[in-house]
PDB file of all heavy atoms in Angstrom:
ATOM      1  N   GLU A   1      13.786   1.932   1.460  1.00  0.00           N
ATOM      2  CA  GLU A   1      13.194   3.276   1.426  1.00  0.00           C
ATOM      3  C   GLU A   1      12.403   3.499   0.137  1.00  0.00           C
ATOM      4  O   GLU A   1      11.300   4.041   0.155  1.00  0.00           O
ATOM      5  CB  GLU A   1      14.293   4.330   1.554  1.00  0.00           C
ATOM      6  CG  GLU A   1      13.767   5.751   1.641  1.00  0.00           C
ATOM      7  CD  GLU A   1      14.877   6.767   1.825  1.00  0.00           C
ATOM      8  OE1 GLU A   1      15.961   6.591   1.204  1.00  0.00           O
ATOM      9  OE2 GLU A   1      14.684   7.738   2.571  1.00  0.00           O
ATOM     10  N   ASN A   2      12.955   3.057  -0.989  1.00  0.00           N
ATOM     11  CA  ASN A   2      12.255   3.195  -2.272  1.00  0.00           C
ATOM     12  C   ASN A   2      10.964   2.386  -2.298  1.00  0.00           C
ATOM     13  O   ASN A   2       9.933   2.852  -2.790  1.00  0.00           O
ATOM     14  CB  ASN A   2      13.169   2.752  -3.420  1.00  0.00           C
ATOM     15  CG  ASN A   2      14.306   3.721  -3.674  1.00  0.00           C
ATOM     16  OD1 ASN A   2      14.249   4.881  -3.258  1.00  0.00           O
ATOM     17  ND2 ASN A   2      15.360   3.258  -4.332  1.00  0.00           N
ATOM     18  N   ARG A   3      11.017   1.154  -1.767  1.00  0.00           N
ATOM     19  CA  ARG A   3       9.819   0.318  -1.712  1.00  0.00           C
ATOM     20  C   ARG A   3       8.748   0.971  -0.839  1.00  0.00           C
ATOM     21  O   ARG A   3       7.561   0.943  -1.158  1.00  0.00           O
ATOM     22  CB  ARG A   3      10.167  -1.065  -1.153  1.00  0.00           C
ATOM     23  CG  ARG A   3      11.045  -1.908  -2.061  1.00  0.00           C
ATOM     24  CD  ARG A   3      10.250  -2.423  -3.263  1.00  0.00           C
ATOM     25  NE  ARG A   3      10.993  -3.428  -3.982  1.00  0.00           N
ATOM     26  CZ  ARG A   3      11.844  -3.183  -4.976  1.00  0.00           C
ATOM     27  NH1 ARG A   3      12.050  -1.918  -5.352  1.00  0.00           N
ATOM     28  NH2 ARG A   3      12.474  -4.171  -5.590  1.00  0.00           N
ATOM     29  N   LEU A   4       9.175   1.552   0.272  1.00  0.00           N
ATOM     30  CA  LEU A   4       8.239   2.200   1.183  1.00  0.00           C
ATOM     31  C   LEU A   4       7.585   3.410   0.520  1.00  0.00           C
ATOM     32  O   LEU A   4       6.380   3.632   0.651  1.00  0.00           O
ATOM     33  CB  LEU A   4       8.952   2.612   2.466  1.00  0.00           C
ATOM     34  CG  LEU A   4       8.078   3.117   3.612  1.00  0.00           C
ATOM     35  CD1 LEU A   4       7.067   2.056   4.030  1.00  0.00           C
ATOM     36  CD2 LEU A   4       8.946   3.519   4.807  1.00  0.00           C
ATOM     37  N   GLU A   5       8.369   4.173  -0.218  1.00  0.00           N
ATOM     38  CA  GLU A   5       7.823   5.337  -0.927  1.00  0.00           C
ATOM     39  C   GLU A   5       6.816   4.905  -1.988  1.00  0.00           C
ATOM     40  O   GLU A   5       5.787   5.558  -2.190  1.00  0.00           O
ATOM     41  CB  GLU A   5       8.961   6.142  -1.562  1.00  0.00           C
ATOM     42  CG  GLU A   5       9.816   6.893  -0.537  1.00  0.00           C
ATOM     43  CD  GLU A   5      10.977   7.635  -1.178  1.00  0.00           C
ATOM     44  OE1 GLU A   5      11.166   7.489  -2.417  1.00  0.00           O
ATOM     45  OE2 GLU A   5      11.694   8.349  -0.465  1.00  0.00           O
ATOM     46  N   GLN A   6       7.101   3.813  -2.673  1.00  0.00           N
ATOM     47  CA  GLN A   6       6.153   3.288  -3.667  1.00  0.00           C
ATOM     48  C   GLN A   6       4.845   2.897  -3.003  1.00  0.00           C
ATOM     49  O   GLN A   6       3.761   3.155  -3.533  1.00  0.00           O
ATOM     50  CB  GLN A   6       6.777   2.089  -4.395  1.00  0.00           C
ATOM     51  CG  GLN A   6       7.944   2.438  -5.310  1.00  0.00           C
ATOM     52  CD  GLN A   6       8.670   1.210  -5.829  1.00  0.00           C
ATOM     53  OE1 GLN A   6       8.214   0.079  -5.653  1.00  0.00           O
ATOM     54  NE2 GLN A   6       9.818   1.416  -6.455  1.00  0.00           N
ATOM     55  N   ASN A   7       4.934   2.258  -1.828  1.00  0.00           N
ATOM     56  CA  ASN A   7       3.725   1.878  -1.098  1.00  0.00           C
ATOM     57  C   ASN A   7       2.921   3.094  -0.670  1.00  0.00           C
ATOM     58  O   ASN A   7       1.688   3.097  -0.752  1.00  0.00           O
ATOM     59  CB  ASN A   7       4.091   1.047   0.138  1.00  0.00           C
ATOM     60  CG  ASN A   7       4.180  -0.445  -0.160  1.00  0.00           C
ATOM     61  OD1 ASN A   7       4.180  -0.848  -1.328  1.00  0.00           O
ATOM     62  ND2 ASN A   7       4.265  -1.246   0.870  1.00  0.00           N
ATOM     63  N   ILE A   8       3.617   4.115  -0.200  1.00  0.00           N
ATOM     64  CA  ILE A   8       2.928   5.325   0.254  1.00  0.00           C
ATOM     65  C   ILE A   8       2.138   5.953  -0.893  1.00  0.00           C
ATOM     66  O   ILE A   8       0.986   6.370  -0.729  1.00  0.00           O
ATOM     67  CB  ILE A   8       3.940   6.338   0.834  1.00  0.00           C
ATOM     68  CG1 ILE A   8       4.507   5.796   2.153  1.00  0.00           C
ATOM     69  CG2 ILE A   8       3.287   7.699   1.060  1.00  0.00           C
ATOM     70  CD1 ILE A   8       5.641   6.623   2.724  1.00  0.00           C
ATOM     71  N   LYS A   9       2.748   5.972  -2.084  1.00  0.00           N
ATOM     72  CA  LYS A   9       2.056   6.520  -3.254  1.00  0.00           C
ATOM     73  C   LYS A   9       0.862   5.654  -3.645  1.00  0.00           C
ATOM     74  O   LYS A   9      -0.203   6.159  -3.987  1.00  0.00           O
ATOM     75  CB  LYS A   9       3.032   6.636  -4.424  1.00  0.00           C
ATOM     76  CG  LYS A   9       4.098   7.707  -4.248  1.00  0.00           C
ATOM     77  CD  LYS A   9       5.039   7.745  -5.436  1.00  0.00           C
ATOM     78  CE  LYS A   9       6.115   8.804  -5.257  1.00  0.00           C
ATOM     79  NZ  LYS A   9       7.071   8.814  -6.393  1.00  0.00           N
ATOM     80  N   GLN A  10       1.053   4.334  -3.602  1.00  0.00           N
ATOM     81  CA  GLN A  10      -0.023   3.424  -4.009  1.00  0.00           C
ATOM     82  C   GLN A  10      -1.180   3.429  -3.009  1.00  0.00           C
ATOM     83  O   GLN A  10      -2.352   3.429  -3.397  1.00  0.00           O
ATOM     84  CB  GLN A  10       0.522   2.003  -4.152  1.00  0.00           C
ATOM     85  CG  GLN A  10      -0.532   0.974  -4.547  1.00  0.00           C
ATOM     86  CD  GLN A  10       0.029  -0.444  -4.607  1.00  0.00           C
ATOM     87  OE1 GLN A  10       1.239  -0.648  -4.574  1.00  0.00           O
ATOM     88  NE2 GLN A  10      -0.851  -1.430  -4.709  1.00  0.00           N
ATOM     89  N   LEU A  11      -0.842   3.444  -1.720  1.00  0.00           N
ATOM     90  CA  LEU A  11      -1.871   3.351  -0.690  1.00  0.00           C
ATOM     91  C   LEU A  11      -2.576   4.676  -0.451  1.00  0.00           C
ATOM     92  O   LEU A  11      -3.690   4.712   0.070  1.00  0.00           O
ATOM     93  CB  LEU A  11      -1.239   2.870   0.626  1.00  0.00           C
ATOM     94  CG  LEU A  11      -0.650   1.458   0.620  1.00  0.00           C
ATOM     95  CD1 LEU A  11       0.132   1.198   1.893  1.00  0.00           C
ATOM     96  CD2 LEU A  11      -1.749   0.415   0.455  1.00  0.00           C
ATOM     97  N   LYS A  12      -1.860   5.787  -0.807  1.00  0.00           N
ATOM     98  CA  LYS A  12      -2.394   7.123  -0.532  1.00  0.00           C
ATOM     99  C   LYS A  12      -2.658   7.245   0.963  1.00  0.00           C
ATOM    100  O   LYS A  12      -1.765   7.092   1.765  1.00  0.00           O
ATOM    101  CB  LYS A  12      -3.620   7.370  -1.390  1.00  0.00           C
ATOM    102  CG  LYS A  12      -3.297   7.335  -2.888  1.00  0.00           C
ATOM    103  CD  LYS A  12      -4.511   7.513  -3.758  1.00  0.00           C
ATOM    104  CE  LYS A  12      -4.119   7.432  -5.221  1.00  0.00           C
ATOM    105  NZ  LYS A  12      -5.259   7.540  -6.138  1.00  0.00           N
ATOM    106  N   SER A  13      -3.869   7.482   1.378  1.00  0.00           N
ATOM    107  CA  SER A  13      -4.126   7.646   2.808  1.00  0.00           C
ATOM    108  C   SER A  13      -4.633   6.362   3.464  1.00  0.00           C
ATOM    109  O   SER A  13      -4.944   6.344   4.651  1.00  0.00           O
ATOM    110  CB  SER A  13      -5.149   8.768   3.027  1.00  0.00           C
ATOM    111  OG  SER A  13      -6.374   8.450   2.376  1.00  0.00           O
ATOM    112  N   GLU A  14      -4.695   5.270   2.690  1.00  0.00           N
ATOM    113  CA  GLU A  14      -5.243   4.021   3.213  1.00  0.00           C
ATOM    114  C   GLU A  14      -4.196   3.261   4.015  1.00  0.00           C
ATOM    115  O   GLU A  14      -3.006   3.295   3.716  1.00  0.00           O
ATOM    116  CB  GLU A  14      -5.752   3.146   2.061  1.00  0.00           C
ATOM    117  CG  GLU A  14      -6.594   1.958   2.501  1.00  0.00           C
ATOM    118  CD  GLU A  14      -7.202   1.208   1.316  1.00  0.00           C
ATOM    119  OE1 GLU A  14      -6.847   1.530   0.173  1.00  0.00           O
ATOM    120  OE2 GLU A  14      -8.022   0.312   1.566  1.00  0.00           O
ATOM    121  N   GLN A  15      -4.647   2.575   5.046  1.00  0.00           N
ATOM    122  CA  GLN A  15      -3.768   1.721   5.836  1.00  0.00           C
ATOM    123  C   GLN A  15      -3.443   0.456   5.055  1.00  0.00           C
ATOM    124  O   GLN A  15      -4.285  -0.082   4.330  1.00  0.00           O
ATOM    125  CB  GLN A  15      -4.436   1.349   7.160  1.00  0.00           C
ATOM    126  CG  GLN A  15      -4.654   2.520   8.100  1.00  0.00           C
ATOM    127  CD  GLN A  15      -3.379   2.956   8.791  1.00  0.00           C
ATOM    128  OE1 GLN A  15      -2.671   2.148   9.378  1.00  0.00           O
ATOM    129  NE2 GLN A  15      -3.082   4.245   8.721  1.00  0.00           N
ATOM    130  N   PHE A  16      -2.207  -0.051   5.243  1.00  0.00           N
ATOM    131  CA  PHE A  16      -1.773  -1.219   4.481  1.00  0.00           C
ATOM    132  C   PHE A  16      -2.684  -2.420   4.708  1.00  0.00           C
ATOM    133  O   PHE A  16      -3.076  -3.098   3.759  1.00  0.00           O
ATOM    134  CB  PHE A  16      -0.329  -1.581   4.854  1.00  0.00           C
ATOM    135  CG  PHE A  16       0.152  -2.839   4.188  1.00  0.00           C
ATOM    136  CD1 PHE A  16       0.642  -2.808   2.890  1.00  0.00           C
ATOM    137  CD2 PHE A  16       0.105  -4.060   4.841  1.00  0.00           C
ATOM    138  CE1 PHE A  16       1.079  -3.972   2.260  1.00  0.00           C
ATOM    139  CE2 PHE A  16       0.532  -5.227   4.218  1.00  0.00           C
ATOM    140  CZ  PHE A  16       1.024  -5.177   2.921  1.00  0.00           C
ATOM    141  N   ASN A  17      -3.009  -2.718   5.970  1.00  0.00           N
ATOM    142  CA  ASN A  17      -3.825  -3.903   6.269  1.00  0.00           C
ATOM    143  C   ASN A  17      -5.178  -3.849   5.571  1.00  0.00           C
ATOM    144  O   ASN A  17      -5.674  -4.866   5.068  1.00  0.00           O
ATOM    145  CB  ASN A  17      -4.022  -4.040   7.775  1.00  0.00           C
ATOM    146  CG  ASN A  17      -2.788  -4.588   8.474  1.00  0.00           C
ATOM    147  OD1 ASN A  17      -1.894  -5.105   7.820  1.00  0.00           O
ATOM    148  ND2 ASN A  17      -2.742  -4.459   9.775  1.00  0.00           N
ATOM    149  N   ASP A  18      -5.783  -2.669   5.528  1.00  0.00           N
ATOM    150  CA  ASP A  18      -7.074  -2.520   4.865  1.00  0.00           C
ATOM    151  C   ASP A  18      -6.942  -2.746   3.367  1.00  0.00           C
ATOM    152  O   ASP A  18      -7.761  -3.439   2.752  1.00  0.00           O
ATOM    153  CB  ASP A  18      -7.658  -1.129   5.137  1.00  0.00           C
ATOM    154  CG  ASP A  18      -7.988  -0.925   6.615  1.00  0.00           C
ATOM    155  OD1 ASP A  18      -8.230  -1.934   7.298  1.00  0.00           O
ATOM    156  OD2 ASP A  18      -7.986   0.234   7.062  1.00  0.00           O
ATOM    157  N   ALA A  19      -5.903  -2.171   2.771  1.00  0.00           N
ATOM    158  CA  ALA A  19      -5.692  -2.321   1.329  1.00  0.00           C
ATOM    159  C   ALA A  19      -5.376  -3.766   0.972  1.00  0.00           C
ATOM    160  O   ALA A  19      -5.793  -4.271  -0.071  1.00  0.00           O
ATOM    161  CB  ALA A  19      -4.557  -1.402   0.872  1.00  0.00           C
ATOM    162  N   TYR A  20      -4.640  -4.451   1.858  1.00  0.00           N
ATOM    163  CA  TYR A  20      -4.264  -5.844   1.616  1.00  0.00           C
ATOM    164  C   TYR A  20      -5.492  -6.745   1.616  1.00  0.00           C
ATOM    165  O   TYR A  20      -5.646  -7.625   0.763  1.00  0.00           O
ATOM    166  CB  TYR A  20      -3.271  -6.285   2.688  1.00  0.00           C
ATOM    167  CG  TYR A  20      -2.487  -7.524   2.341  1.00  0.00           C
ATOM    168  CD1 TYR A  20      -1.310  -7.439   1.611  1.00  0.00           C
ATOM    169  CD2 TYR A  20      -2.909  -8.784   2.760  1.00  0.00           C
ATOM    170  CE1 TYR A  20      -0.589  -8.567   1.295  1.00  0.00           C
ATOM    171  CE2 TYR A  20      -2.178  -9.925   2.458  1.00  0.00           C
ATOM    172  CZ  TYR A  20      -1.024  -9.810   1.724  1.00  0.00           C
ATOM    173  OH  TYR A  20      -0.303 -10.928   1.414  1.00  0.00           O
ATOM    174  N   LYS A  21      -6.389  -6.501   2.574  1.00  0.00           N
ATOM    175  CA  LYS A  21      -7.609  -7.308   2.671  1.00  0.00           C
ATOM    176  C   LYS A  21      -8.559  -7.035   1.509  1.00  0.00           C
ATOM    177  O   LYS A  21      -9.247  -7.941   1.029  1.00  0.00           O
ATOM    178  CB  LYS A  21      -8.316  -7.017   3.991  1.00  0.00           C
ATOM    179  CG  LYS A  21      -7.561  -7.496   5.216  1.00  0.00           C
ATOM    180  CD  LYS A  21      -8.272  -7.064   6.491  1.00  0.00           C
ATOM    181  CE  LYS A  21      -7.479  -7.451   7.732  1.00  0.00           C
ATOM    182  NZ  LYS A  21      -8.126  -6.946   8.970  1.00  0.00           N
ATOM    183  N   ASP A  22      -8.608  -5.783   1.059  1.00  0.00           N
ATOM    184  CA  ASP A  22      -9.574  -5.386   0.032  1.00  0.00           C
ATOM    185  C   ASP A  22      -9.084  -5.646  -1.393  1.00  0.00           C
ATOM    186  O   ASP A  22      -9.864  -5.549  -2.344  1.00  0.00           O
ATOM    187  CB  ASP A  22      -9.907  -3.891   0.167  1.00  0.00           C
ATOM    188  CG  ASP A  22     -10.592  -3.583   1.499  1.00  0.00           C
ATOM    189  OD1 ASP A  22     -11.124  -4.524   2.112  1.00  0.00           O
ATOM    190  OD2 ASP A  22     -10.571  -2.406   1.920  1.00  0.00           O
ATOM    191  N   ALA A  23      -7.783  -5.969  -1.553  1.00  0.00           N
ATOM    192  CA  ALA A  23      -7.220  -6.156  -2.892  1.00  0.00           C
ATOM    193  C   ALA A  23      -7.882  -7.339  -3.592  1.00  0.00           C
ATOM    194  O   ALA A  23      -7.941  -8.444  -3.050  1.00  0.00           O
ATOM    195  CB  ALA A  23      -5.714  -6.366  -2.800  1.00  0.00           C
ATOM    196  N   ILE A  24      -8.386  -7.095  -4.793  1.00  0.00           N
ATOM    197  CA  ILE A  24      -9.056  -8.143  -5.553  1.00  0.00           C
ATOM    198  C   ILE A  24      -8.066  -8.914  -6.412  1.00  0.00           C
ATOM    199  O   ILE A  24      -8.098 -10.147  -6.494  1.00  0.00           O
ATOM    200  CB  ILE A  24     -10.157  -7.529  -6.438  1.00  0.00           C
ATOM    201  CG1 ILE A  24     -11.215  -6.839  -5.560  1.00  0.00           C
ATOM    202  CG2 ILE A  24     -10.809  -8.597  -7.307  1.00  0.00           C
ATOM    203  CD1 ILE A  24     -12.257  -6.084  -6.348  1.00  0.00           C
ATOM    204  N   GLU A  25      -7.151  -8.209  -7.062  1.00  0.00           N
ATOM    205  CA  GLU A  25      -6.184  -8.867  -7.946  1.00  0.00           C
ATOM    206  C   GLU A  25      -4.760  -8.747  -7.390  1.00  0.00           C
ATOM    207  O   GLU A  25      -4.244  -9.691  -6.810  1.00  0.00           O
ATOM    208  CB  GLU A  25      -6.281  -8.268  -9.356  1.00  0.00           C
ATOM    209  CG  GLU A  25      -7.622  -8.537 -10.037  1.00  0.00           C
ATOM    210  CD  GLU A  25      -7.674  -7.975 -11.438  1.00  0.00           C
ATOM    211  OE1 GLU A  25      -6.700  -7.339 -11.858  1.00  0.00           O
ATOM    212  OE2 GLU A  25      -8.699  -8.176 -12.108  1.00  0.00           O
TER     213      GLU A  25
END
């Protein structure tokens, strides 16, 4: 649950798959 909340904050409104593909570092 904590990991999921961290992801929600980091991703904001972006979908995970999109953020994963676009991540440079």
